[in-house]
Amino acid sequence: MPRDNLILGVTGNIASGKSTIAGGFAQLGAALLDADQLARDVVAPDSPVLQQLVEKFGSHILQPDGQLDRDRLGAIIFADPAARQELNRIMHPAIGQLAVERLQQLKHKPEIPLIVYEAPLLFEAGAEGRVDKVLVVKIDPLVQLHRLMQRDNIDEKAAQQKINAQMPQEEKLARADYVIDNSGTVEEALEQVDKLWAKLVE
């Protein structure tokens, strides 16, 4: 009886380096499914989800070519918790359905050693049920603040606002099966990926 592939959910807060860690697993041979990419797929031009967003937030969230203007929408939802809840209410079910379909396709492929589902809002979306184990990417709060300011070219106040809009890191760590600390260098983080890979796959 062939065993189903293990699905590892990778999550963590903004600027913690989730993509670096998920990419490390992909380089070792894992199949990678990225919730951010799924979120882009479900709001393709003329999709039902995009039409719901336009009805809710107005047509100014569209670019001239009919694509979603993610920056405009982001500015609305980061400043307004109620708008953020509304966005999640529209997006999460659609992303969830697509994620389940794609994960099921990957789960039964014997040539795949591990499936990594990179989902920044894994806990917030109540999506832990889609994965077998959860890895939280941890980061020192000061390092996080500086990385975010640098990455998004924003000041400390704006960066702190983005951080405060998320579930506290401690809460995520308390619910993790595995933790990788990405406060140091990329090399140090990828060493931890190698160790966990050996544990999960070999």
Side-chain angles (χ1 to χ4, degrees):
M1 182 69 187
R3 63 174 185 83
D4 283 343
N5 301 315
L6 181 81
I7 301 174
L8 179 69
V10 173
T11 193
N13 280 0
I14 194 165
S16 60
K18 297 173 291 295
S19 298
T20 301
I21 301 304
F25 282 107
Q27 281 183 320
L28 292 170
L32 180 57
L33 189 63
D34 175 6
D36 277 349
Q37 184 55 52
L38 296 179
R40 281 192 267 278
D41 294 347
V42 299
V43 294
D46 300 324
S47 64
V49 174
L50 186 59
Q51 295 189 320
Q52 277 182 279
L53 292 179
V54 170
E55 279 163 31
K56 183 69 207 165
F57 298 106
S59 58
H60 64 281
I61 63 165
L62 293 179
Q63 296 173 355
D65 62 358
Q67 302 265 0
L68 176 64
D69 188 327
R70 291 167 74 90
D71 289 341
R72 271 204 174 153
L73 183 59
I76 296 168
I77 61 149
F78 268 117
D80 179 356
R84 193 159 60 240
Q85 275 185 322
E86 197 57 37
L87 175 75
N88 290 342
R89 189 187 63 73
I90 295 168
M91 293 284 289
H92 286 170
I95 295 169
Q97 194 182 340
L98 192 56
V100 168
E101 285 168 20
R102 302 235 177 125
L103 288 169
Q104 282 308 319
Q105 289 163 3
L106 293 169
K107 206 165 169 64
H108 308 301
K109 291 189 173 176
E111 70 277 14
I112 294 173
L114 179 71
I115 300 163
V116 169
Y117 180 47
E118 183 189 341
L121 300 177
L122 188 76
F123 294 125
E124 292 88 333
E128 311 96 296
R130 287 177 214 154
V131 302
D132 301 309
K133 297 284 181 188
V134 177
L135 163 66
V136 172
V137 181
K138 173 186 176 184
I139 186 164
D140 175 85
L142 266 179
V143 176
Q144 178 188 28
L145 187 66
H146 288 134
R147 278 188 196 165
L148 183 56
M149 286 164 64
Q150 216 171 0
R151 188 193 80 182
D152 291 2
N153 196 18
I154 51 179
D155 63 17
E156 187 174 333
K157 186 173 178 240
Q160 199 61 59
Q161 186 187 25
K162 284 189 172 190
I163 291 168
N164 294 345
Q166 298 197 308
M167 181 188 282
Q169 176 168 263
E170 277 57 47
E171 216 173 303
K172 293 188 178 183
L173 291 171
R175 296 162 71 175
D177 296 296
Y178 307 106
V179 175
I180 283 181
D181 190 336
N182 191 24
S183 307
T185 64
V186 172
E187 290 73 26
E188 286 167 341
L190 293 179
E191 269 174 37
Q192 296 171 72
V193 170
D194 288 342
K195 282 181 186 155
L196 186 54
W197 172 268
K199 193 173 179 177
L200 295 174
V201 172
E202 287 153 19

